[in-house]
């Protein structure tokens, strides 16, 4: 039967081994994986400024991006492809709450430059290789827009 | 209660109780907004409400853990807590930082990062507060007569939780890095070091409540925390499927996160088997109910409902939908919420000297809260599955689908009202106990031999 000492060894060795593997994989992901998958060379100053605005206003508190965030407002990873820059800028610069189907977005009233930066960020993230996310719908989209 | 300084635990629990009430309130604000009633949009928009809801959860559970540690460590180390005055200072600092953070969220003073919204300036205060907490715990352990496995696992979990907060404080220009290291904090907390804390508290409770030999309980504690790290560390990969990371995470995350329920199954079996093995019966039956309930719902909510959408083939469709909310609610409640409730239920008679071991209100609180949570989880599940089917599979627009989901949120609000009733009854019981008293110091715990 298992002794307490053996149980402790199982805990110690398992934790050590899997931590080492995890750190190794993290090293690879951080140095090689993410730069390649996100096309870091295309990350302009505008993209970084856009990401800062994204963070400052907690956009993830309603939307998801790369599938992460809250589930109150649309997924935005592919919003650049779906709506185009004009529509996105109109939403971002609106002085009244944007609410095309009843659900209100905070009226941020961004300036033209800020809206451009956020659009640059959304365009950049839309081009990232996310291992197939978001998936294409199985059936033909029947949406009006 | 054997040591006077253990009394400080009570005030951490009182803070937890206050924060839960606020957390529930903001939950209702969000559920109503999902249903279409967003009357508070101008003052408390959804992103504010969610930041408050999630951070209050983290803070009240941490406050519960801290209270538990301040009670357990003196008991296990057989000594008074080191510097009890500092412990009160640490409590006040925690409450103040918490309140400032929550108020700040209403004025967009935050970082837009799920679960880690507390702004950087306050992060430093959190670090100082946690260092103070760890100093008190470790100094007590140092000067104590004994260093038991239970105390070491619990302390190890607390130190780990503090260390893992740090990667979340680094700023990255690339959003994918930010996401990557955010999970170092959030995942390695809830599916890593917090399970160490959970295991430590559970072991302590089982030793006290069942009377099973400490050596047996602590041996299995090692096995369980061993399983936690064996699966949980590489299981972090299930957050790295679709976030700009290499595709090997699909395989690694898939395999190891599928193993994660084993640790929770271990916890549930651990609690059940020790309960059956017990040769003594502690009269605090309610504490036993919450303890076993926690182990079982942790397995269902964190283990099985997590497994339901953790495989990459499934997660591709459910990632970023209400399915995640389904898993999240029961997982946090079962594994951590109920555990804090179990500890409070066990400890209140010992702190106050009032042996209100079994009250009708206390018993109903358990059942009503749990039935409410199971219904809430079901409502989220129905909403999540419908969202996946209509939006992801059929390709309808997000808001077209969202407007179809209102009735699930109607059910959710009813379920949440039931849940909240149970929680409020629990808080009422807590209040009825009154504050700790020195007269409880002499009182011995009563064990009853099993006679049934």
């Amino acid at each position: 039967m298992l002794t307490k000492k053996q149980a402790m060894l199982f805990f110690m060795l398992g934790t050590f081994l899997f931590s080492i593997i995890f750190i190794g994989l993290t090293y690879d992901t951080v140095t090689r994986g993410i730069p390649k998958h996100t096309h870091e060379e295309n990350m302009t100053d505008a993209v970084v400024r856009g990401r800062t605005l994204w963070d400052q206003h907690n956009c993830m508190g309603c939307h998801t991006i790369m599938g992460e965030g809250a589930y109150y407002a649309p997924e935005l990873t592919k919003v650049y492809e779906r709506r185009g820059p004009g529509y996105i800028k109109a939403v971002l610069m609106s002085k009244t709450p944007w609410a095309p189907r009843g659900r209100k977005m905070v009226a941020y009233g961004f300036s033209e430059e800020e809206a451009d930066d956020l659009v640059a960020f959304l365009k950049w993230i839309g081009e990232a290789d996310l291992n197939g996310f978001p998936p294409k719908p199985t059936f033909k989209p029947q949406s009006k827009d | 209660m054997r040591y006077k300084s253990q009394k400080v635990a009570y005030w951490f629990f009182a803070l937890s109780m206050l924060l839960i009430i606020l957390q529930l309130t903001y939950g209702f604000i969000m559920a109503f907004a999902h249903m279409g009633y967003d009357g508070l949009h101008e003052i408390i928009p959804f992103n504010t409400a969610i930041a408050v809801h999630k951070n209050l959860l983290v803070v009240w559970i941490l406050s519960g853990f801290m209270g538990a540690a301040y009670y357990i460590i003196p008991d296990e180390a057989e000594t008074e807590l080191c510097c009890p005055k500092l412990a009160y200072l640490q409590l006040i600092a925690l409450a103040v930082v918490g309140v400032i953070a929550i108020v700040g969220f209403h004025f967009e003073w935050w970082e837009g990062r799920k679960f880690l919204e507390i702004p950087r300036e306050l992060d430093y205060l959190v670090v100082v507060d946690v260092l103070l907490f760890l100093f008190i715990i470790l100094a007590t352990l140092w000067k104590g007569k004994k260093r038991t496995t239970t105390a070491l696992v619990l302390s190890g979990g607390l130190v780990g939780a503090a260390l893992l907060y740090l990667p979340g404080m680094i700023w990255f220009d690339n959003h994918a890095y930010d996401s990557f290291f955010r999970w170092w904090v959030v995942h390695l907390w809830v599916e890593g070091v917090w399970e160490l804390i959970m295991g430590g508290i559970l072991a302590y409770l089982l030793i006290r409540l069942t009377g099973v030999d400490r050596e047996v309980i602590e041996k299995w504690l090692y096995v369980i925390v061993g399983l936690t790290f064996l699966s949980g560390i590489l299981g972090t990969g299930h957050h790295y499927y679709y976030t700009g990371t290499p595709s090997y995470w699909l395989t690694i995350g898939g395999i190891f996160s599928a193993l994660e329920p084993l640790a929770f199954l271990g916890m549930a079996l651990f609690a059940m088997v020790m309960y059956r093995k017990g040769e003594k019966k502690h009269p605090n039956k309610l504490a036993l109910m919450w303890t076993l309930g926690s182990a079982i719902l942790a397995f269902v909510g964190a283990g099985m409902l997590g497994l339901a959408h953790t495989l990459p083939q499934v997660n591709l469709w459910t990632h970023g939908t209400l399915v995640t909310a389904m898993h999240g609610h029961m997982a946090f409640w079962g594994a951590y919420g109920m555990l804090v409730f179990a500890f409070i239920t066990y400890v209140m008679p010992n702190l106050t000297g009032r042996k209100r071991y079994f009250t009708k209100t206390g018993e109903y609180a358990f059942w009503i809260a749990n039935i409410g949570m199971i219904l809430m989880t079901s409502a989220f599940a129905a909403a999540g599955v419908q969202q996946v089917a209509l939006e992801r599979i059929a390709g309808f627009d997000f808001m077209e689908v969202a407007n179809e989901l209102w009735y699930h949120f109607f059910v959710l609000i009813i379920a949440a009202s039931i849940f909240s009733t149970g929680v409020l009854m629990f808080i009422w019981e807590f209040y009825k106990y009154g504050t700790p008293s020195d007269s409880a110091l002499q009182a011995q715990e009563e064990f009853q031999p099993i006679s049934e």
Side-chain angles (χ1 to χ4, degrees):
Chain A
M1 193 57 186
L2 186 77
T3 64
K4 190 171 170 186
K5 203 168 172 196
Q6 288 168 332
M8 189 182 81
L9 268 175
F10 163 70
F11 164 65
M12 296 289 200
L13 288 178
T15 304
F16 179 74
L17 176 68
F18 288 104
S19 300
I20 294 291
I21 298 174
F22 183 65
I23 289 169
L25 290 171
T26 293
Y27 180 78
D28 179 72
T29 301
V30 168
T31 53
R32 214 174 48 88
I34 292 180
K36 185 168 146 248
H37 276 251
T38 59
H39 309 294
E40 207 165 53
E41 67 280 3
N42 299 337
M43 210 172 71
T44 59
D45 289 346
V47 171
V48 175
R49 284 196 303 270
R51 149 125 168 79
T52 310
L53 286 169
W54 172 269
D55 187 73
Q56 276 169 359
H57 296 286
N58 191 15
C59 305
M60 269 170 104
C62 295
H63 294 275
T64 47
I65 197 153
M66 308 195 300
E68 296 182 334
Y71 320 116
Y72 188 66
E75 203 340 289
L76 295 182
T77 311
K78 296 283 179 197
V79 71
Y80 186 87
E81 187 184 310
R82 195 165 67 234
R83 302 287 195 190
Y87 183 99
I88 301 171
K89 279 177 73 175
V91 175
L92 291 170
M93 292 168 69
S94 170
K95 297 266 195 294
T96 52
W98 188 267
R101 283 193 186 82
R103 188 168 288 182
K104 288 193 199 116
M105 174 169 159
V106 175
Y108 288 107
F110 287 114
S111 68
E112 179 98 39
E113 295 74 37
E114 288 171 324
D116 282 331
D117 290 342
L118 272 162
V119 167
F121 169 67
L122 291 168
K123 179 172 184 287
W124 169 77
I125 206 126
E127 289 163 357
D129 172 6
L130 302 184
N131 296 330
F133 184 85
K136 291 261 176 290
T138 312
F139 302 102
K140 219 177 164 186
Q142 298 163 25
S143 175
K144 278 168 282 200
D145 33 52
Chain B
M1 178 167 73
R2 288 196 288 168
Y3 302 97
K4 209 172 168 173
S5 52
Q6 286 177 302
K7 279 197 296 187
V8 67
Y10 172 86
W11 300 102
F12 281 86
F13 301 142
L15 177 66
S16 283
M17 298 290 109
L18 278 178
L19 297 182
I20 294 171
I21 298 177
L22 263 183
Q23 194 209 351
L24 293 175
T25 311
Y26 279 79
F28 276 106
I29 293 174
M30 286 190 284
F32 275 108
H34 262 288
M35 235 187 114
Y37 301 102
D38 60 348
L40 292 171
H41 175 81
E42 295 300 323
I43 22 173
I44 309 174
F46 193 88
N47 56 353
T48 299
I50 203 165
V52 174
H53 185 72
K54 284 184 170 145
N55 282 270
L56 280 173
L57 167 75
V58 175
V59 178
W60 85 250
I61 285 177
L62 280 179
S63 180
F65 284 167
M66 286 172 173
Y70 281 141
Y71 189 91
I72 292 174
I73 296 297
D75 238 7
E76 293 283 302
E78 298 187 352
T79 178
E80 286 284 353
L81 206 58
C82 145
C83 12
K85 279 195 183 132
L86 276 183
Y88 283 98
L89 178 74
Q90 189 253 317
L91 168 74
I92 294 165
L94 178 74
V96 169
V97 172
V99 169
I100 296 175
I102 298 307
V103 174
F105 292 163
H106 292 78
F107 301 95
E108 288 214 318
W109 192 40
W110 54 19
E111 289 170 11
R113 306 155 73 221
K114 195 176 180 179
F115 284 109
L116 304 178
E117 286 91 346
I118 294 183
R120 194 57 41 92
E121 296 82 348
L122 283 181
D123 276 343
Y124 295 118
L125 288 179
V126 172
V127 170
V128 172
D129 190 69
V130 171
L131 284 177
L132 183 59
F133 165 73
L134 288 176
F135 168 75
I136 299 167
I137 291 297
L138 296 178
T140 309
L141 212 52
W142 186 256
K143 78 175 174 112
K145 297 187 191 79
K146 278 190 188 163
R147 280 172 213 130
T148 64
T149 301
T150 302
L152 290 177
V153 169
L154 176 63
S155 309
L158 294 166
V159 172
L163 286 178
L164 283 168
Y165 191 70
L166 304 177
M169 287 174 61
I170 313 166
W171 169 266
F172 296 102
D173 282 340
N174 186 332
H175 186 74
Y177 284 113
D178 187 80
S179 164
F180 189 86
F181 285 104
R182 195 161 46 80
W183 292 116
W184 268 53
V185 188
V186 180
H187 177 92
L188 291 176
W189 265 16
V190 299
E191 275 146 302
V193 290
W194 278 29
E195 281 186 59
L196 242 61
I197 301 173
M198 181 188 181
I201 296 177
L202 204 57
Y204 175 86
L205 284 171
L206 290 171
I207 290 169
R208 305 282 145 166
L209 293 171
T210 66
V212 173
D213 183 42
R214 173 185 287 277
E215 288 300 301
V216 177
I217 288 188
E218 289 183 339
K219 176 174 83 180
W220 291 108
L221 175 61
Y222 272 132
V223 175
I224 287 163
V225 292
L227 284 174
T228 297
F229 281 141
L230 189 143
S231 58
I233 295 175
L234 290 179
T236 316
H238 66 204
H239 296 288
Y240 300 156
Y241 293 159
Y242 312 116
T243 52
T245 38
S247 55
Y248 52 70
W249 286 112
L250 295 170
T251 316
I252 294 166
I255 291 171
F256 284 89
S257 64
L259 295 175
E260 279 183 1
L262 278 182
F264 285 106
L265 179 65
M267 296 259 191
L269 288 176
F270 178 52
M272 294 302 286
V273 172
M274 293 306 145
Y275 166 61
R276 299 235 163 137
K277 242 174 117 83
E279 286 157 12
K280 291 172 172 177
K281 204 164 210 176
H282 197 282
N284 196 337
K285 201 177 145 197
L286 278 177
L288 199 60
M289 281 167 74
W290 281 106
T291 305
L292 296 181
S294 167
I296 291 165
L297 271 200
F299 170 59
V300 177
M304 295 318 286
L305 293 182
L307 183 66
H309 64 130
T310 199
L311 294 180
Q313 294 82 348
V314 178
N315 198 253
L316 179 66
W317 300 94
T318 60
H319 180 52
T321 66
L322 290 157
V323 169
T324 314
M326 168 233 6
H327 158 60
H329 279 78
M330 194 185 267
F332 269 107
W333 168 247
Y336 303 119
M338 284 181 79
L339 187 73
V340 170
F341 278 33
F343 197 81
I344 293 175
T345 309
Y346 165 71
V347 98
M348 286 307 279
N350 304 349
L351 281 172
T352 60
R354 296 181 194 94
K355 297 201 166 94
R356 305 169 72 251
Y357 284 136
F358 198 81
T359 62
K360 274 279 160 240
T361 321
E363 190 190 10
Y364 284 131
F366 174 86
W367 290 111
I368 293 174
N370 280 303
I371 289 168
M373 179 49 79
I374 290 166
L375 292 174
M376 280 171 69
T377 308
S378 313
F380 273 122
V385 170
Q386 190 172 351
Q387 186 191 4
V388 171
L390 292 179
E391 188 193 336
R392 293 286 166 80
I393 298 176
F396 285 98
D397 179 75
F398 177 90
M399 269 316 296
E400 279 181 324
V401 179
N403 284 336
E404 291 296 314
L405 300 179
W406 69 269
Y407 43 84
H408 297 302
F409 287 93
F410 176 66
V411 176
L412 179 72
I413 288 169
I414 293 173
S417 307
I418 298 172
F419 174 71
S420 304
T421 307
V423 171
L424 289 175
M425 284 165 77
F426 183 90
I427 296 172
W428 174 250
E429 278 293 292
F430 177 83
Y431 170 75
K432 291 283 277 182
Y433 261 112
T435 49
S437 121
D438 286 341
S439 64
L441 272 172
Q442 290 83 32
Q444 294 293 313
E445 277 182 52
E446 296 160 32
F447 266 120
Q448 284 172 359
I450 291 176
S451 52
E452 293 153 64

